[in-house]
Amino acid sequence: SFTVYDHVEVFAQKLTTKYQSVLVFGRAKVIPATQEILLALIKKYVNMDIEKATKLIENEIMDTAIIEIEIDHLSGKISK
């Protein structure tokens, strides 16, 4: 399983926390990092010049792992 939390606020005086979370159930596998995949991810999620992105990939590709999660089901929660 894989959990993501967002909008976390701790209220120490009330001993409580507000948050949003999603719990994902499925299978994960490591995908070999290639320049093509990393460039596609940068184009999708980052507003960056392609030349700069290519240089960044060249410097970081050996330290990069990509995890693919095949989702079976997921569950979300919002605390109030």
Side-chain angles (χ1 to χ4, degrees):
S1 66
F2 179 74
T3 305
V4 176
Y5 294 94
D6 196 12
H7 301 291
V8 177
E9 293 182 68
V10 176
F11 298 95
Q13 300 296 331
K14 295 182 180 181
L15 298 176
T16 191
T17 305
K18 283 178 69 175
Y19 62 92
Q20 297 177 359
S21 68
V22 175
L23 182 58
V24 178
F25 296 89
R27 289 169 298 288
K29 65 180 177 181
V30 176
I31 303 295
T34 66
Q35 184 165 349
E36 180 182 356
I37 293 171
L38 295 175
L39 192 55
L41 289 169
I42 288 172
K43 285 180 181 179
K44 183 172 184 174
Y45 295 109
V46 182
N47 183 16
M48 182 183 291
D49 176 70
I50 298 300
E51 185 176 314
K52 184 176 180 179
T54 302
K55 288 180 183 177
L56 181 65
I57 291 169
E58 289 172 1
N59 292 336
E60 302 294 333
I61 195 164
M62 297 307 293
D63 298 323
T64 303
I66 301 171
I67 310 297
E68 176 184 49
I69 301 173
E70 185 178 321
I71 299 171
D72 291 330
H73 66 279
L74 51 88
S75 174
K77 183 176 181 181
I78 298 175
S79 68
K80 296 182 180 185

